[in-house]
Amino acid sequence: MFVSSSRTSRGRIRGSGRGSLAVVPAVLAALMVMAAGCHRGESGIGPDERHTANAERGDPSPLLGAGDLGADWRADDARTGLPPWPWEQDSCPSYRSSDYPAKSHRRAAVERYYRPSDGSSPAHHVVETYEPGWAERNVDDVRRVLLRCASYPVLGSQVSFDVVDPRYLDGAGMLVRGRIARADTSNTVTYFVMVQRGETVSTVRLPDPGSQAAVDEIAARAVARLG
């Protein structure tokens, strides 16, 4: 496997920190506000342009609704187009964008940001559709970037990624834990759930909710959204 899998704990997830992760500008793309940097997808969007919408339970959208994350979350409007690849890591010394060709074979994508009422780190969900055969190759690209950028320094912090479960959700997905370690404050942890179904890839970035069970529940809802 691409990254040595760390143990999957079913109780309290240790090493968490709910503080904001905006310590590194443009480190990832959707791998961010937590474990490696700021979101490019947020750039150029002023506060007046961000609208919120709570998705109904019967919403056919492939994206999670605010209620899927919990009562204290609000969801921005969905955005269409092609957002940055969720696994971009320009601040990683071993990262070269041209080494990951699958992202150039996306046909469409839709994404949404989610904001907790306490003002802590947001969550993010993107669902991408690939050209035939390229969704599986995208999974290979993700494995490769996690191997090459498993740990690296950025502006006095150490960014790291561990594959918690390489066959998450009965083999349909992968669960990744991202961490920013800093000497002057507690670690910040974010979880990434990636699921492939046919030529569709769903990627959820979730600030540490405090337990494996909470991550599993949200992941199951993301899978259900794929139909």
Side-chain angles (χ1 to χ4, degrees):
M1 202 52 215
F2 43 104
V3 178
S4 56
S5 301
S6 57
R7 14 179 217 292
T8 304
S9 59
R10 292 287 164 185
R12 173 74 187 175
I13 300 175
R14 298 193 174 105
S16 64
R18 290 288 306 256
S20 171
L21 270 210
V23 292
V24 186
V27 172
L28 317 160
L31 260 185
M32 23 282 355
V33 184
M34 124 25 232
C38 298
H39 248 80
R40 288 187 196 145
E42 299 260 57
S43 62
I45 300 173
D48 293 338
E49 297 177 73
R50 294 183 187 134
H51 306 288
T52 58
N54 286 308
E56 298 295 331
R57 283 295 177 182
D59 186 355
S61 169
L63 295 171
L64 291 167
D68 292 319
L69 274 68
D72 296 330
W73 289 83
R74 290 188 64 81
D76 286 4
D77 289 340
R79 305 175 191 174
T80 57
L82 286 179
W85 188 48
W87 304 92
E88 297 279 5
Q89 295 188 71
D90 291 342
S91 293
C92 170
S94 299
Y95 181 84
R96 291 194 305 274
S97 182
S98 59
D99 290 341
Y100 308 95
K103 60 187 174 183
S104 64
H105 292 270
R106 296 182 296 174
R107 284 181 165 174
V110 60
E111 64 175 336
R112 176 177 283 156
Y113 290 91
Y114 310 81
R115 306 177 192 282
S117 58
D118 64 5
S120 57
S121 298
H124 177 256
H125 187 195
V126 58
V127 178
E128 304 163 296
T129 303
Y130 284 80
E131 296 173 5
W134 283 95
E136 183 62 36
R137 295 178 71 172
N138 172 71
V139 175
D140 291 338
D141 281 357
V142 173
R143 292 171 176 169
R144 189 158 51 251
V145 75
L146 289 171
L147 175 62
R148 293 182 180 177
C149 298
S151 182
Y152 60 91
V154 179
L155 299 180
S157 300
Q158 191 70 24
V159 174
S160 62
F161 297 92
D162 297 299
V163 177
V164 178
D165 191 343
R167 294 189 55 77
Y168 193 49
L169 303 170
D170 297 323
M174 179 166 52
L175 177 62
V176 177
R177 178 175 53 227
R179 190 190 311 268
I180 288 182
R182 298 181 292 271
D184 58 345
T185 187
S186 59
N187 293 347
T188 306
V189 172
T190 292
Y191 284 84
F192 304 91
V193 176
M194 184 180 71
V195 179
Q196 178 200 350
R197 176 168 290 178
E199 297 304 329
T200 299
V201 177
S202 171
T203 305
V204 178
R205 187 196 78 236
L206 181 70
D208 181 15
S211 74
Q212 181 76 44
V215 175
D216 293 345
E217 185 175 358
I218 293 171
R221 290 172 179 171
V223 172
R225 287 278 179 166
L226 295 179

